[in-house]
Amino acid sequence: MRTVNINLNELVNPPYTDAIFGRDFGKKHATDKKLLSLIREDDIEIHIIIDDSIVKAINDSFIKGFFSDVFNELKTKANVEKRFIIDANQNFKNLFYKNWIILESIFNQ
Amino acid sequence: MNFYIDNLPEQSTGLIEIIALLVSIFSILITVIGIYISKQIDIKYERFGNLCLANITNILHNVDEIFKNQSSSAIHSHRKAILDSLVELNLFLSSLRKIYPKLDVELITTISDKFSDEIHSRNDVVLTFNSTYYETKVSIYDSLYKYAINKELNLFGRLVFRLK
């Protein structure tokens, strides 16, 4: 299985910025990382890397923007969990999982 | 003394009595249907109020308290508490879609995300976010009430007025 790392630490610039937010920014970052074509590949695992000494906060808006096309394609949280590994502290993991539940609800209307 | 009445009305036929009887039955029927529908609306609205509005008020209680009592402190010391409440709000609305499948969760999450982005983007005191918070809260309740009136309480389908 191929592993792809997406490092969110590169999106902040401490001490000037330590938070990641914005739905459009999330969408743009997903496009930059070609997330949609990555998830269309078989046998791929995408690691989202967040170091909490660098990134202090991530807003829901960023996660929703970043994963909107992914959920449009994969539909369920279970399918997304098969492809994505959150390599971060438990708080960030919980934040992603909660937003995945919300996205699942939105994309299954 | 004799009185003569020249213009006596013609004796009524049974038809008028039948029409009167039908009108009475029809008005009783309309009244019963009216009572039934208004009871249905009461029950549906009470259900929506208890399941949705009351819980949202509870979830936003902590944020309300921050804006009421901590207005002069810096937003960054309350950011996590506020954002946690907003995540809970969105999660709650998502779970609510099992009961109210037509609820537009995306619209409400967009409203709350706009507010949480603003909290992330500035490091002012709580007071400066007051109006944005109340606008956000009003918009969320407004979309929920519109949903309730247009989708849940609209027993007559498109015949009943719709809020825009």
Side-chain angles (χ1 to χ4, degrees), chain B residues 113-132:
Chain B
D113 280 356
K114 205 174 151 197
F115 173 61
S116 58
D117 275 348
E118 188 152 345
I119 282 184
H120 268 296
S121 62
R122 284 167 32 209
N123 270 327
D124 298 327
V125 292
V126 170
L127 186 69
T128 57
F129 296 92
N130 255 6
S131 62
T132 321

Side-chain angles (χ1 to χ4, degrees), chain A residues 23 59 61 98 105 109, chain B residues 87-88 97 103 113 116-117:
Chain A
R23 203 176 276 198
N59 196 21
S61 58
K98 283 177 179 180
S105 162
Q109 280 189 340
Chain B
V87 176
E88 288 309 312
R97 282 203 57 239
L103 189 67
D113 280 356
S116 58
D117 275 348

